Amino acid sequence: MNDTPVQTSAMVLCDSDGSLARDLPLDREPVMLLALAVIALPTTGNTLPPGDCEQIARLMAGHARPVADEVRALCAQLPRLSPLRPLTETVLGEARRRLSVEPRATLASAQNRARVVRILYERLDRLQDLPPS
């Protein structure tokens, strides 16, 4: 038998600006189920390991960016005096602010990004339900 260790290599792909996933459809249902479950967790006690919190925070942030892009595109189509525009712009600004901070290995970080995903989808649904202008 050969005791020589087998060498393997792996390439890790980082798509921090979302350019590779831009044309892929989002899988909304499982992400929303996870977001709602994370939001519902009690903030006291050790409910999730730090590594899990960080991974969830990163997943939520990665999912939130293309949703925000869709919301931004729909907001741009709104009439200048639309009553939906100020709230949509506020939601987008808050999402941008929260997503600009690097995710941490805390439940608060995961919940923060889960809330961003939830509110962005709420805005997206509201804007998509509008009759064509």
Side-chain angles (χ1 to χ4, degrees):
M1 227 183 230
N2 187 352
D3 290 333
T4 306
V6 176
Q7 290 186 339
T8 60
S9 65
M11 181 184 299
V12 177
L13 180 62
C14 180
D15 185 25
S16 58
D17 66 352
S19 60
L20 296 175
R22 202 165 279 128
D23 295 327
L24 297 175
L26 295 175
D27 202 358
R28 177 179 178 162
E29 185 178 354
V31 171
M32 279 303 296
L33 289 173
L34 178 60
L36 295 175
V38 168
I39 291 168
L41 289 173
T43 56
T44 57
N46 296 333
T47 53
L48 286 176
D52 291 354
C53 291
E54 184 176 4
Q55 287 301 313
I56 291 168
R58 289 185 184 284
L59 181 129
M60 292 294 149
H63 194 85
R65 286 184 182 93
V67 177
D69 290 343
E70 286 186 52
V71 171
R72 193 173 297 105
L74 290 171
C75 182
Q77 296 173 13
L78 290 172
R80 270 283 181 232
L81 297 176
S82 169
L84 295 174
R85 186 178 279 277
L87 179 56
T88 302
E89 289 172 345
T90 300
V91 166
L92 288 167
E94 183 65 16
R96 183 175 41 253
R97 186 184 68 73
R98 289 184 184 198
L99 295 173
S100 70
V101 177
E102 188 68 22
R104 295 185 319 264
T106 64
L107 179 59
S109 180
Q111 287 177 325
N112 183 328
R113 280 151 184 80
R115 288 184 188 99
V116 169
V117 168
R118 183 185 63 189
I119 193 72
L120 284 170
Y121 269 125
E122 287 172 0
R123 270 295 89 195
L124 182 65
D125 291 344
R126 181 71 173 102
L127 296 173
Q128 287 177 334
D129 288 343
L130 292 175
S133 50

